[in-house]
């Protein structure tokens, strides 16, 4: 679509042709296969893209750790042959590679781990005895969290053994839980039939003898079973839709349900952002699908951080770029940096021409580089060009002429005692 006449995008089409793009994508590799030892290939199923994944993971782990985080599954859609393909029927993209993600309530990814089987998790977790797959994943993703962090997860990850191990590390878990994992507590709670007869908003609680762990059952449209270390049955009210009355009614609910609903949607928010402008080009290579997905994840993370920073600074909403505009600006920045490294013969020229008053001739003028290139202070050095007639200064508002040119930007700028356009142009 970028190369079509109707939707032509010059920032891309001026750099390379469509056939060259497909050739580059077909030949893209992250590392040289012969440099990877045999034992690493056997232990890591995703070794072909591991350097790229480590770079994305490094950026995620460098983010500030908040007080509350959520852990959930994420599917990387792919139906071709790959080392570890999974099927999750309840997901929007049920077939693909499973990725376990730790994120904030705002949708900022803090850590992730690709599923390669239980054996790979056993090697990364300390004291894995007696823990199921969900608890192992939770222990792995909580390694970079601070003490006192509240962790929210769904019933796949929640178990009594896993919650107790997290309590030893001063990490406090809240989440839904399966009945068979808390069978003794379920026997002490109200039955489903009793709660249904009592009506919506009915709740029941049972806790351990030391009071550190509680199991709460709440009846809404159906029974909901939850486990928590920090929340109990303190009640509040919420508005729920009544099908019979066809209107919203006030229903009593435990605070554990409210906190879970507020803090649990971080991973779903990331998935939603990625789905808006997903790199969904067809490919039979799982490596290409991984590169596309984690590039999308990095862009989504960056845009959420960008929007959060501008909101903190009090910037008006009109000045905040939308997600698509942000992605295009990132592409322009990368293309501009690549453009600055090309030789003089490869530099593109604009149709604008400059009149020479002495010779009456016209000299082609190179395009002004992108602002991201101009502000790399360590890359800009002046050079004197032996021109018979001085060139016009390219700084905005300056009408002077000079023979000083920037080595990187390839534009002429004044560098005099009374007028320093060279510094103003690069800052």
């Amino acid at each position: 679509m970028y190369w079509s006449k109707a939707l032509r995008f010059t920032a891309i089409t001026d750099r390379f042709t469509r056939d060259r793009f497909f050739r580059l994508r077909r030949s893209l590799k992250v590392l040289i296969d012969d440099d990877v030892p045999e034992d690493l290939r056997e232990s890591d199923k995703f070794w072909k893209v591991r350097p790229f994944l480590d770079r994305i993971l490094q950026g995620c782990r460098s983010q500030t750790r908040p007080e509350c985080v959520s852990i959930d599954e994420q599917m990387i859609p792919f139906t071709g042959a790959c080392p570890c393909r999974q099927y999750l029927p309840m997901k929007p993209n049920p077939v693909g590679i499973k990725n376990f993600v730790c994120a904030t309530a705002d949708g900022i990814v803090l850590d992730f781990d690709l599923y390669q089987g239980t054996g790979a998790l056993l090697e990364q977790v300390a004291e894995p005895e007696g823990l199921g797959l969900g608890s192992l994943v939770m222990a792995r993703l909580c390694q970079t969290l601070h003490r006192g962090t509240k962790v929210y997860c769904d019933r796949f990850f929640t178990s009594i053994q896993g919650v107790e191990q997290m309590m030893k590390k001063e990490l406090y878990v809240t989440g839904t839980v399966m009945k068979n994992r808390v069978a003794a507590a379920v026997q002490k709670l109200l039955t489903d039939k009793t709660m249904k007869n009592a009506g919506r908003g009915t709740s029941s609680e049972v806790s351990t003898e030391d009071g550190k762990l509680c199991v709460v059952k709440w009846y809404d449209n159906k029974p909901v079973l939850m486990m928590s270390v920090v929340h109990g049955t303190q009640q509040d009210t919420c508005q729920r839709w009544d099908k019979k009355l066809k209107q919203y009614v006030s229903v009593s609910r435990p605070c554990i349900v409210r906190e879970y609903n507020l803090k649990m949607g971080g991973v779903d928010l990331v998935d939603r952002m990625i789905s808006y402008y997903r790199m969904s080009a067809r490919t039979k290579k799982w490596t290409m699908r991984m590169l596309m997905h984690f590039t999308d994840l990095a862009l989504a993370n960056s845009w959420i951080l960008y929007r959060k920073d501008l909101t903190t600074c009090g910037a008006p909403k009109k000045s905040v770029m939308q997600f698509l505009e942000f992605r295009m600006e990132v592409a322009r920045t990368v293309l501009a940096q690549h453009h600055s490294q090309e030789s003089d013969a490869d530099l593109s020229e604009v149709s604008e021409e400059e009149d020479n008053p002495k010779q009456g001739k016209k000299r082609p003028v190179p395009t002004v580089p992108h602002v991201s290139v101009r502000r790399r202070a360590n890359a800009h050095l002046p050079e004197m060009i032996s021109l018979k007639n001085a060139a016009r200064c390219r700084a905005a508002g300056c009408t002077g002429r000079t023979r000083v040119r920037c080595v990187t930007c390839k534009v002429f700028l004044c560098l005099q005692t009374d007028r320093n356009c060279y510094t103003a142009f690069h800052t």
Side-chain angles (χ1 to χ4, degrees), residues 18-55:
R18 184 197 64 178
D19 294 341
R20 179 167 174 76
F21 166 72
F22 284 117
R23 183 176 179 82
L24 289 171
R25 198 187 74 169
R26 189 166 59 246
S27 307
L28 188 63
K29 291 179 72 67
V30 177
L31 47 76
I32 300 174
D33 295 357
D34 295 338
D35 293 345
V36 181
E38 193 65 30
D39 57 342
L40 183 59
R41 298 187 187 189
E42 295 178 358
S43 60
D44 187 3
K45 295 181 180 180
F46 302 104
W47 61 270
K48 288 188 176 182
V49 292
R50 183 55 60 183
F52 181 79
L53 298 180
D54 289 342
R55 184 63 188 88

Side-chain angles (χ1 to χ4, degrees), residues 368 374 392-400 411-414 419-422 424-425:
V368 175
R374 291 160 52 182
R392 183 174 62 85
C393 177
R394 297 304 304 279
C398 181
T399 59
V411 295
F412 288 90
L413 299 163
C414 293
R419 187 172 66 253
N420 192 346
C421 296
Y422 193 90
F425 182 80

